[in-house]
Amino acid sequence: MGWARKILRVNLTAGTVKSEPLNMEWAQKYLGSRGLGTKYLVEEIDPKVDPLSPDNKLIFATGPLTGTMASTGGRYTVITKGALTGAIACSNSGGFFGAELKYAGWDMIIFEGKAPSPVFLYVENGTARLLPADHLWGKSVWDTEHAIKAQLQDPLVRVSTIGVSGEKGVKYACIVNDLHRAAGRSGVGTVMGSKNLKAVAVRGTEGVKVRDFKEFFAASNAAKAVLSGNAVTGQGLPTYGTQVLMNVINETGAMPTRNHRDIQFEGAHKISAEAMAEKRPTDGKSNLVANQACFGCTIACGRVSMIDKNHYTVQNRPEYWGASGGLEYEAAWALGSNTGVDDLEALTFANFICNEQGMDPISFGATVSAAMELFEIGAITTEQTGGIELRFGSAEALTQLAELTGKGEGFGAEIGLGSKLLCEKYGHPEFHMGVKGQEFPAYDSRGIQGMGLTYATSNRGACHLRSYTVASEILGIPEKTDPLATDGKAGLVKAFQDATAAFDSAGICIFTSFAWSLQDVAPQVDAAIEGGWSVDRLVETGERIWNLERQFNLAAGFTAKDDTLPKRLLSEPANSGPAKGRVNDLSKMLPEYYEIRGWTADGIPTNETLARLAL
């Protein structure tokens, strides 16, 4: 009930596909998706394994609410040891693939080993087989999905695939499903490529059963009413998508600009949600075509865009004239503000390329930004870039590098290293703006203090989706806190981290948490699966998952020294806006965070904490 109670184990080395029962003892402790997939990974691999070794494993996992009528119940998670970070990697995606996998009767797929030649997995309800993918190797995400649907003669099959970037070893390659929804961060697509696994195609018609349908129907409908009545999930996100934040964060003085040297971008209004909706003077059409919802979603925050056919990026290139996945806030920031580029059409083109070739636009844009700073001081020259003038504000440089990086060619192969390795290679590691090797998302922690602690302690490297304190510090959800204050932020971050782990593991979108608390989630989970799931139990489950991830990272070699921020954020004061003169006061928040977590001063969970959480 809720759980399909089956997992698919695929040994790529041997070419075998086997069904096995879900470990229900683990399911009762870790719920599903992120939590349960992490438990399997931790039990089955050495934390010190090379992420690109055949001994690493790659897990696609659904949650108990995936495929149900719960709003946003279409999520699935990819869990592995990350190619970008060497830390636990857990990347979440929407679209329709997750629900299809559940409809086929599977809670998760575990991939192990490495195929001797390219393959893809085809799952049709209770049967699965590996098929040759030599003819797909070298194809983009878009071409691969179309080719698989044609080969299987089924336009309704759902495809999750890597592009050329994953094949070529771009460190932040992602896994894309439904053409432009992605398990985007930490290099999960790089791991998939290292296994010679090109794609997973799924067709499911079995549906999902819940423990008590009448109870579940009532709980999910009540929760949907909460979403529709909320200003963010009922109005802001449906109208503007996540891009609603562009002007808000810029005015707050927390918009990282030009590799975090500035915290406000003078061109923000040109690449905002409002700009996407405006009619272009060139053709009278807007960049934004429509909004789009993932499976079962009542929010519909997704953007669908079309590029001006006369723009230099797509002139005489009709393959990019159609409607496709538009800019979300994080991508618009990384490709725009962080590189100093305010050409909306150029950003949309770069985003299209990231979708087409399967790259995380956050890490790509941030790496280009770091490269631009290296170019500015002469550490990189046109000799290395192949003649590209890699200057802040250059749309041409951005779009050229998007194409080169997506194919692993020219200086794009250098950008594909990620900013940490790139900056180390060219002698300026201090220009890497990230944590544990993963680049920051779109919030400067000098202007939003809680996000500094969030980044520093995130188990998968710098990440906003592990503890979105922006909700409280900027939007006042669930209550308003001062973004420039440090008092109380340790408790706030822990609460967000534990709750987020529960949301992710249930199989629903974290955006519901703008309106929902765990009091809205618990009745849905409890009605879907047996075991008695209260708010307190979900909180404890989230805390258990967080500590399990922490244990993996510690065993992999990370220490408290990795719970930090770049020198720029700790010692260079913000130069404008409400946070002018401020640095991030991580040193004030981190010791309190460790104490609240029940960890030692060295960031290690105590025996008491482990015993309490049954770890």
Side-chain angles (χ1 to χ4, degrees), residues 39 171 175 249 278 285 364-365 466 562:
K39 176 62 175 175
K171 290 291 188 181
I175 300 172
I249 300 300
E278 291 176 0
K285 299 177 181 179
F364 167 70
R466 288 296 177 268
D562 297 296

Side-chain angles (χ1 to χ4, degrees), residues 61 123 146 184 251 333 397 587 590 606:
V123 180
H146 291 313
E251 291 168 8
W333 160 77
S587 62
L590 190 59
T606 64

Side-chain angles (χ1 to χ4, degrees), residues 518-551:
L518 288 176
Q519 290 182 333
D520 299 290
V521 178
Q524 298 180 80
V525 173
D526 186 57
I529 54 178
E530 68 272 21
W533 291 84
S534 64
V535 171
D536 288 345
R537 185 174 178 184
L538 286 177
V539 171
E540 182 181 75
T541 301
E543 186 180 8
R544 180 179 298 116
I545 292 164
W546 191 264
N547 279 270
L548 180 68
E549 294 171 339
R550 179 73 175 190
Q551 284 185 293

Side-chain angles (χ1 to χ4, degrees), residues 246-247 249-251 253-258 262-271 332-333 335-343 347 393 576:
M246 179 63 70
N247 288 325
I249 300 300
N250 195 49
E251 291 168 8
M255 175 74 71
T257 300
R258 290 175 281 272
D262 304 309
I263 62 170
Q264 289 182 302
F265 182 44
E266 64 281 0
H269 64 285
K270 296 181 181 180
I271 58 173
W333 160 77
L335 302 171
S337 307
N338 209 29
T339 65
V341 176
D342 61 9
D343 181 337
L347 303 192
S576 68

Side-chain angles (χ1 to χ4, degrees), residues 7 51 76 84 118 163 171 178 188 237 244 270 279 418 474 497 551 592 598 613:
I7 67 173
Y76 78 102
L84 180 66
K171 290 291 188 181
D178 302 295
V188 295
L237 286 173
V244 70
K270 296 181 181 180
K279 302 294 184 183
I474 302 301
Q497 287 172 339
Q551 284 185 293
E592 183 184 356
L613 296 172

Side-chain angles (χ1 to χ4, degrees), residues 552-605:
F552 179 93
N553 282 353
L554 291 170
F558 289 89
T559 70
K561 292 181 180 179
D562 297 296
D563 296 339
T564 189
L565 300 172
K567 182 179 178 181
R568 177 164 288 172
L569 302 183
L570 297 174
S571 62
E572 297 180 20
N575 56 11
S576 68
K580 185 175 181 178
R582 291 293 301 274
V583 297
N584 184 268
D585 294 319
L586 180 65
S587 62
K588 296 180 181 178
M589 298 181 283
L590 190 59
E592 183 184 356
Y593 173 84
Y594 285 169
E595 183 178 357
I596 291 174
R597 272 266 171 232
W599 296 352
T600 68
D602 293 324
I604 299 172

Side-chain angles (χ1 to χ4, degrees), residues 149-186:
K149 288 183 174 183
Q151 178 180 337
L152 299 177
Q153 297 184 338
D154 186 354
L156 297 181
V157 70
R158 297 295 177 179
V159 179
S160 186
T161 181
I162 58 170
V164 176
S165 72
E167 300 172 8
K168 292 291 185 73
V170 170
K171 290 291 188 181
Y172 43 83
C174 56
I175 300 172
V176 181
N177 56 279
D178 302 295
L179 298 176
H180 50 80
R181 309 313 303 174
R185 305 222 69 194
S186 308

Side-chain angles (χ1 to χ4, degrees), residues 327-370:
L327 291 164
E328 311 291 351
Y329 171 59
E330 303 295 332
W333 160 77
L335 302 171
S337 307
N338 209 29
T339 65
V341 176
D342 61 9
D343 181 337
L344 180 62
E345 303 302 307
L347 303 192
T348 304
F349 176 77
N351 192 61
F352 275 21
I353 297 298
C354 286
N355 290 335
E356 183 188 23
Q357 297 300 357
M359 294 190 295
D360 171 18
I362 299 177
S363 284
F364 167 70
T367 304
V368 171
S369 176

